[in-house]
C-alpha cells in the first residue's frame, strides 16, 4: 500500500470563516463593514489508517470546528478536505462516504434521544444505511455491538436515563460503530466523565481501534488524556496548528512556548517544588486577532518580529512548529 492510499483523511490549507456581522440595516446606519470570525486558519494535516491524530488547545481555539469540518458538517471557506482521496465538498462523495465516518460527542446524555430505547438508538444507523433488512438480524447486531462496548445485550430494552455517564458514552460508541465506519471523530469524548471512568472509556477506544482497524481524530483540551491516545499530536491556538509531531516527541521535547505552557500545567509528582509558568492571559478574539504571531501577547519570548509577522511552519526534527523564537534559536532548550 502506498503512502498516499494509506492516508484516510487529509486537510490542506483549510480555513473556516463565520459571518458574525450585525443585520444589514444596522450596519448601514452606523457605517459598519461585515465582520468574520476566523475559527480555523490555514490548517493542514493527514491521518494514516489505523492511527490517532489528537488536537489539543484551550477553549475557543477551533478544535471542535475542525471536528465538524472533518465529517462534512461544515464546509471549508477555503482549502480542501479529502477522505481517501475524495473531496468531502463534492455532494456525491459526501453521500457515498457518510456511512464510513461517524462522531462520538462530548455529552453522552445530550447526544442520545431520551425517548428511545437503547436498542433503537444503536439500530438507527443500521436502518438508515440499510445494512441489514430483517428485525431479527438488526436485534442480533445491536446485541453484538452492546456486548462489544462492555454492556449486556439486555440493556437494549432500557432508556438512556437508566445508565451512568460512562455507560451512556459506551452506548454512544456502540451507535457510532453500528454503521461500520472506518473513521471516527471523537470530540472531547471523556471531558464530561469522572476521571476513573475516563480511563475505562479510553482503554475501550484503544482496544476497539486495534481490533477493528479504526482511524481517530481525537479532540481534547486535556493533554494528560491525549497522551494515552495520540500517535500524532497537534497543538492549536486561535485557529492555527502551532506545533505538530509524534505524540511522545511533543511531550518529551515541546518546542513552541504555548505547548510548554500547557504541559507545565499538567499535575506531575516529579515536579513538586519546581517553579512553573502558568498559562497567563486569555485567548484573543478570533474576530479581531492580534497582528503577527497570534500568541505574542502572552509569550515571554515575543519580540518586534513576532508582533508584525505571522510565523510559517518549519520542520525541526520530526516536529513542525510555527514560532519565530524556535526558528531564530531564541527558544529555551
Amino acid at each position: 500500500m502506498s503512502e498516499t492510499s494509506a492516508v484516510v483523511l487529509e486537510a490542506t490549507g483549510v480555513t473556516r470563516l463565520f459571518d458574525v456581522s450585525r443585520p444589514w440595516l444596522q450596519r448601514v446606519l452606523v457605517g459598519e463593514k461585515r465582520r468574520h470570525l476566523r475559527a480555523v486558519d490555514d490548517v493542514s494535516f493527514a491521518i494514516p489508517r489505523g492511527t490517532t491524530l489528537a488536537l489539543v488547545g484551550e477553549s475557543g481555539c477551533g478544535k471542535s470546528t475542525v471536528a465538524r469540518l472533518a465529517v462534512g458538517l461544515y464546509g471549508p471557506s477555503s482549502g480542501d478536505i479529502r477522505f481517501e482521496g475524495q473531496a468531502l465538498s463534492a455532494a456525491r462523495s459526501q453521500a457515498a462516504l457518510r456511512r464510513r465516518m461517524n462522531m462520538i460527542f462530548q455529552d453522552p446524555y445530550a447526544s442520545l434521544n431520551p425517548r428511545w430505547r437503547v436498542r433503537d438508538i444503536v439500530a438507527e444507523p443500521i436502518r438508515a444505511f440499510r445494512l441489514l433488512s430483517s428485525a431479527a438480524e438488526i436485534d442480533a447486531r445491536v446485541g453484538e455491538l452492546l456486548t462489544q462496548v462492555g454492556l449486556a445485550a439486555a440493556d437494549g430494552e432500557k432508556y438512556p436515563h437508566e445508565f451512568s455517564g460512562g455507560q451512556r458514552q459506551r452506548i454512544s460508541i456502540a451507535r457510532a460503530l453500528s454503521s461500520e465506519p472506518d473513521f471516527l471523530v471523537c470530540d472531547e469524548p471523556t471531558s464530561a466523565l469522572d476521571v476513573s471512568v475516563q480511563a475505562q472509556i479510553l482503554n475501550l477506544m484503544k482496544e476497539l481501534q486495534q481490533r477493528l482497524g479504526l482511524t481517530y481524530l481525537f479532540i481534547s483540551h486535556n493533554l494528560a488524556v491525549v497522551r494515552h491516545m495520540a500517535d500524532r499530536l497537534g497543538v492549536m491556538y486561535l485557529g492555527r496548528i502551532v506545533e505538530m509531531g509524534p505524540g511522545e516527541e511533543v511531550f518529551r521535547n515541546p518546542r513552541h512556548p504555548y505547548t510548554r505552557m500547557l504541559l507545565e500545567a499538567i499535575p506531575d509528582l516529579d515536579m513538586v517544588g519546581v517553579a512553573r509558568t502558568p498559562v497567563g492571559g486569555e485567548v484573543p478574539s478570533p474576530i479581531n486577532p492580534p497582528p503577527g504571531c497570534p500568541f505574542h501577547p502572552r509569550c515571554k519570548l515575543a519580540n518586534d518580529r513576532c508582533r508584525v509577522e505571522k510565523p510559517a511552519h518549519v520542520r525541526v526534527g520530526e516536529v513542525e512548529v510555527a514560532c519565530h523564537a524556535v526558528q531564530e534559536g531564541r527558544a529555551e532548550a
Side-chain angles (χ1 to χ4, degrees):
M1 181 180 292
S2 66
E3 182 178 350
T4 303
S5 64
V7 173
V8 172
L9 190 84
E10 183 174 16
T12 306
V14 172
T15 296
R16 172 67 192 195
L17 304 177
F18 292 97
D19 191 339
V20 293
S21 307
R22 290 195 289 179
W24 174 80
L25 182 58
Q26 293 184 23
R27 287 189 286 110
V28 170
L29 292 175
V30 299
E32 182 181 279
K33 295 182 179 180
R34 283 189 175 276
R35 304 174 71 197
H36 290 89
L37 186 152
R38 188 175 291 267
V40 176
D41 184 10
D42 193 23
V43 164
S44 299
F45 58 81
I47 314 178
R49 186 177 306 281
T51 66
T52 300
L53 170 65
L55 296 180
V56 299
E58 295 169 283
S59 296
C61 72
K63 308 182 301 296
S64 292
T65 303
V66 172
R68 284 156 177 75
L69 286 164
V71 293
L73 293 177
Y74 293 156
S77 302
S78 63
D80 191 32
I81 300 178
R82 293 182 172 271
F83 184 87
E84 295 184 345
Q86 300 184 53
L88 286 185
S89 56
R92 186 176 300 175
S93 296
Q94 192 174 35
L97 297 175
R98 191 175 294 127
R99 183 191 66 79
R100 301 181 59 198
M101 53 178 63
N102 219 324
M103 284 190 73
I104 301 171
F105 296 93
Q106 177 176 354
D107 186 345
Y109 191 64
S111 66
L112 302 176
N113 189 331
R115 297 188 178 188
W116 284 17
R117 295 184 188 272
V118 166
R119 65 164 186 250
D120 297 317
I121 292 172
V122 176
E124 182 184 16
I126 300 175
R127 295 191 177 101
F129 293 111
R130 300 177 182 177
L131 301 179
L132 296 171
S133 55
S134 72
E137 290 177 321
I138 293 175
D139 289 343
R141 177 58 176 158
V142 168
E144 179 184 335
L145 287 163
L146 291 174
T147 304
Q148 195 172 51
V149 298
L151 298 172
D155 288 331
E157 298 300 318
K158 300 178 182 178
Y159 291 92
H161 73 268
E162 300 181 69
F163 297 88
S164 67
Q167 290 173 323
R168 285 197 288 262
Q169 195 61 291
R170 290 175 186 269
I171 296 168
S172 297
I173 294 172
R175 179 184 59 185
L177 294 176
S178 64
S179 64
E180 301 176 4
D182 302 307
F183 173 64
L184 288 179
V185 173
C186 313
D187 188 8
E188 306 251 17
T190 61
S191 62
L193 307 178
D194 295 338
V195 174
S196 59
V197 180
Q198 286 183 13
Q200 297 173 19
I201 297 299
L202 292 174
N203 289 333
L204 171 64
M205 293 178 66
K206 288 289 285 186
E207 178 190 343
L208 292 170
Q209 182 178 40
Q210 294 169 2
R211 188 193 312 168
L212 304 176
L214 298 171
T215 303
Y216 291 151
L217 173 61
F218 194 95
I219 308 295
S220 180
H221 64 274
N222 190 335
L223 278 166
V225 167
V226 301
R227 186 165 197 169
H228 182 73
M229 295 293 298
D231 297 298
R232 289 184 63 80
L233 175 63
V235 181
M236 290 193 69
Y237 186 80
L238 209 65
R240 298 192 80 205
I241 294 179
V242 297
E243 184 166 358
M244 177 175 285
E248 280 305 316
E249 175 63 20
V250 175
F251 276 98
R252 183 172 58 250
N253 186 20
R255 270 87 170 177
H256 199 282
Y258 179 61
T259 308
R260 295 180 179 182
M261 291 170 69
L262 290 179
L263 288 172
E264 287 177 358
I266 300 176
D268 188 347
L269 290 176
D270 294 334
M271 294 188 68
V272 173
V274 178
R276 296 171 180 249
T277 303
V279 183
E282 296 183 359
V283 179
S285 169
I287 300 175
N288 186 26
C293 174
F295 187 60
H296 85 256
R298 305 171 68 187
C299 181
K300 63 180 181 180
L301 301 178
N303 62 9
D304 291 340
R305 183 188 180 192
C306 300
R307 297 182 182 95
V308 297
E309 181 183 337
K310 183 178 291 188
H313 286 86
V314 296
R315 180 169 288 277
V316 182
E318 297 181 272
V319 176
E320 289 187 358
V321 60
C323 178
H324 293 311
V326 172
Q327 296 176 25
E328 298 169 2
R330 295 186 287 109
E332 298 176 1

